[in-house]
């Protein structure tokens, strides 16, 4: 079920050290501004140094984006909502995601902060390279672009109403994940994997609450 403690203002303090605390916050424009040049360079390298054809790059890039959607679902379900009695795991889960459920209006923690994001991205690139080898120079940028779209969608859901009618179920899925049951509705950028793994909301049983949804929006 949803968490009992939800704050409509302010933000969680994750670290006592003010410098560490500062590194837990970021702005979406900073993340986009850093990653787009990096991903563009990696794609450029894939074509000019690795000598992958444009058609192959496009295919791998799209494949990386699609792969991200599964990664997003699994990470949200099994890491961000990791259920454990271990104190350290509880703390890690809270730092990664639990604080967002308690402070859903905190706009500074909807994107992973830059420094840990770059460290994690580098680690994931290395792991994926062991599988895809040189093809990863085209695959991984698609994966990371999928992340940027996911984080931006998450930000948008908390910022404004869905701009198009077809996006309403996506907004509803994440909003109900907050105020109805945090163990359902793990998809943020899409609901495909929720349908595959049967973690969607049944709106006949889980009624929408416009007031609760409004409380999730930025002030």
């Amino acid at each position: 079920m949803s968490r009992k403690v939800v704050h409509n203002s302010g933000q969680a303090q994750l670290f006592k050290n003010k410098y560490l605390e500062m590194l837990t916050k970021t702005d979406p424009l900073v993340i986009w501004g850093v990653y787009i040049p990096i991903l563009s360079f990696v794609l450029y390298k894939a074509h000019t140094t690795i000598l992958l054809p444009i058609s192959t790059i496009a295919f791998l890039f799209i494949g990386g984006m699609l792969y991200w959607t599964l990664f997003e679902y699994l990470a949200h379900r099994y890491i961000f909502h990791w259920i454990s009695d271990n104190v350290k795991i509880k703390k890690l889960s809270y730092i990664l995601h639990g604080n967002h459920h308690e402070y859903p209006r905190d706009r500074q923690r909807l994107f992973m902060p830059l420094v840990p994001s770059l460290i994690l991205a580098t680690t994931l690139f290395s792991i994926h390279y062991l599988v895809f080898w040189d093809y990863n120079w085209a695959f991984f940028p698609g994966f990371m672009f999928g992340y940027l779209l996911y984080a931006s969608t998450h930000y948008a859901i908390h910022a404004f109403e869905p701009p198009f009618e077809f996006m309403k179920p996506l907004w509803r899925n994440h909003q109900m994940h907050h105020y109805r049951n945090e163990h359902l509705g793990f998809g943020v950028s899409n609901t495909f994997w929720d349908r595959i793994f049967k973690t969607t909301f049944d709106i006949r049983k889980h009624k929408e609450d416009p007031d609760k949804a409004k409380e999730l929006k930025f002030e």
Side-chain angles (χ1 to χ4, degrees):
M1 300 298 292
S2 60
R3 295 172 190 266
K4 294 181 179 179
V5 179
V6 178
H7 301 281
N8 290 326
S9 62
Q11 56 185 196
Q13 180 180 350
L14 302 183
F15 297 100
K16 293 182 179 179
N17 184 291
K18 65 179 182 179
Y19 299 107
L20 284 177
E21 184 73 0
M22 181 178 63
L23 291 176
T24 67
K25 306 171 187 178
T26 193
D27 185 276
L29 293 179
V30 172
I31 304 301
W32 276 90
V34 170
Y35 272 104
I36 290 303
I38 292 175
L39 299 181
S40 297
F41 171 76
V42 173
L43 289 172
Y44 175 78
K45 181 179 175 64
H47 183 56
T48 60
T49 303
I50 308 302
L51 302 179
L52 294 177
I54 295 296
S55 59
T56 301
I57 291 175
F59 176 79
L60 291 169
F61 186 89
I62 294 172
M65 289 180 63
L66 295 176
Y67 168 66
W68 162 262
T69 64
L70 176 60
F71 185 92
E72 166 196 328
Y73 177 90
L74 295 176
H76 192 179
R77 181 174 182 177
Y78 295 109
I79 299 178
F80 293 169
H81 287 277
W82 192 346
I83 300 174
S84 174
D85 293 327
N86 185 289
V87 175
K88 291 183 179 180
I89 292 177
K90 285 183 177 180
K91 176 65 175 177
L92 176 62
S93 178
Y94 184 80
I95 291 173
L96 290 174
H97 190 64
N99 72 89
H100 171 60
H101 275 265
E102 288 193 8
Y103 295 86
R105 288 181 166 182
D106 182 1
R107 66 175 70 218
Q108 291 184 305
R109 289 188 171 128
L110 289 178
F111 279 69
M112 180 172 286
L114 184 59
V115 174
S117 173
L118 289 171
I119 294 172
L120 181 58
T122 302
T123 302
L124 289 174
F125 178 89
S126 301
I127 293 173
H128 284 84
Y129 190 83
L130 295 176
V131 177
F132 296 103
W133 295 96
D134 284 346
Y135 291 111
N136 197 45
W137 291 94
F139 180 85
F140 198 74
F143 175 81
M144 287 304 301
F145 190 69
Y147 162 73
L148 293 176
L149 294 179
Y150 145 80
S152 298
T153 301
H154 192 191
Y155 193 95
I157 290 172
H158 286 275
F160 48 78
E161 295 300 316
F164 304 104
E165 187 69 23
F166 75 88
M167 300 181 80
K168 283 186 176 181
L170 186 63
W171 257 241
R172 181 178 64 228
N173 192 60
H174 183 64
Q175 289 167 346
M176 294 181 76
H177 171 75
H178 272 276
Y179 69 75
R180 282 293 180 230
N181 190 338
E182 66 180 41
H183 301 298
L184 294 174
F186 296 104
V188 176
S189 66
N190 69 94
T191 59
F192 176 78
W193 296 108
D194 276 311
R195 295 196 298 272
I196 293 297
F197 293 113
K198 302 186 186 305
T199 52
T200 54
F201 286 97
D202 184 343
I203 58 175
R204 293 170 299 180
K205 299 177 182 178
H206 304 94
K207 301 299 182 181
E208 293 184 71
D209 188 331
D211 292 331
K212 290 288 187 180
K214 187 176 180 179
E215 290 175 1
L216 301 173
K217 295 288 193 299
F218 300 147
E219 292 181 296

